[in-house]
Amino acid sequence: MVKICCIGAGYVGGPTMAVIALKCPDIEVAVVDISVPRITAWNSDQLPIYEPGLDDVVKQCRGKNLFFSTDVEKHVCEADIVFVSVNTPTKTRGLGAGKAADLTYWESAARMIADVSKSDKIVVEKSTVPVKTAEAIEKILTHNSKGIKFQILSNPEFLAEGTAIEDLFGPDRVLIGGRETADGQKAIQALKAVYAHWVPEDRIICTNLWSAELSKLAANAFLAQRISSVNAMSALCEATGADVTEVSYAVGKDTRIGPKFLNSSVGFGGSCFQKDILNLVYICECNGLPEVAEYWKQVIKINDYQKSRFVNRVVSSMFNTVSNKKIAIMGFAFKKDTGDTRETPAIDVCKGLLGDKARLSIYDPQVTEDQIQRDLTMNKFDWDHPLHLQPMSPTTVKQVSVVWDAYEATKDAHGICILTEWDEFKTLDYQKIYDNMQKPAFVFDGRNIVNAEKLREIGFIVYAIGKPLDAWLKDMPAVA
Ligand code: ADP
């Protein structure tokens, strides 16, 4: 029986390994992590991450051929294939601070693999890493190997949070990069055989190591760039009376462009887009390509601009001040169907409103109060000017309350900001909400999910990103 071990039981490692276990009953999969609470949660009924369909997959295989454990060394030692899916945050200090990937976790995982291994292994990079990481990992492994042979593969994960299980069941493609040597090709085939249990062969792409590593960064950069492009258009739409939904639809009908990922919003978030672009920027700079670096940097700049533009719109519409006004924040996760708040635009929007002394009442169906408080008190790392900002003061924290119901969040509020596109926000009783709010009552739809016309009929003043402004908003221009 082939044994797989995955180091890192996070958003990538957990769901990916659960699906491998489900689709490959002949393979034993152990997911290991140094975090005891995380592993305890994976072994309980309350999994540490929320993903539609994940509970079901885990229930079917856990205890059979899927195991979650903190005994990292034992499982690594026994495995034929070791996936490394540890976190690779952006460096916050030293060389490359604010841009380069911090490979501390990766390096310590590689050293541990070298230490405990007693047999040859295939080591698979699963977490996104900078191009040429494999080379560094290879050096660590071979210099410490005691004669054991390691083959490094790059197998970046393209799943999207919120649809992870669906994406893993039917991926657009699986990408495997390896050395062009005979041993390298053999390792590629071994990993290919795992995916071939359920992925059609023509969807499994085999490349050299560097292409695979770079493809992951490039894919995320392209995706983020699409969002920033449509968001840049949304600002122009508001200024000209065009409707961004109509523009996106017309543009997306061109088969060379395609309709997906063209929704305008308050901005992209998630742990990957910004981090991977910063990383790409850094790699370009290190390779003497400042123009290319500058090009990709703009994608993040537009994203930051979109968030501050939203905050400015809220404040300017409400008579240029939100001081002591209750603002309901609907949705905090970076997108629907996930509880993940990493780099969510809600953090910057909330901080912007708190900076103007608003009182926030936050509701998200999947994010806990603890998490929200942690996110709002955390230092924001300013990637363009690498210095730490002051943490939020305790008085500001008191301006935030987290509730478990949209109606409670909006009661007596002056305005509502919709920051995550949760389906349930589409079907709320907005008449009831309106009746319980201060007047004039505002809705700022950062995801274009509510029916603005219906809400206006009820009496709301509605701002929807990239849509023609109503008379009220035109009279209260946002100052940039
Ligand atoms: P991702 O979104 O890429 O999956 P996460 O941060 O959700 O990233 O998960 C990474 C996981 O890797 C964390 O649970 C962390 O505890 C774990 N981890 C980091 N370093 C090690 C290590 N050396 N050994 C085992 N687990 C590790």
Side-chain angles (χ1 to χ4, degrees), residues 6-15 32-35 38 42 49 72 85-88 104-110 112 126-128 161 271-272 275 340 342:
C6 173
I7 307 175
Y11 285 89
V12 173
V32 297
D33 202 295
I34 38 177
S35 162
R38 246 199 182 174
W42 278 110
I49 60 174
V72 181
S85 185
V86 300
N87 21 352
T88 46
T104 316
Y105 301 101
W106 235 110
E107 187 175 333
S108 86
M112 182 270 300
K126 196 68 183 157
S127 34
T128 310
E161 281 175 41
S271 72
C272 291
K275 180 185 73 156
D340 193 353
R342 290 177 293 178

Side-chain angles (χ1 to χ4, degrees), residues 352-373:
L353 294 171
L354 287 167
D356 226 281
K357 299 209 175 73
R359 283 184 297 123
L360 304 183
S361 184
I362 306 177
Y363 166 65
D364 187 292
Q366 285 297 335
V367 186
T368 62
E369 173 160 14
D370 269 8
Q371 185 60 49
I372 290 174
Q373 293 287 5

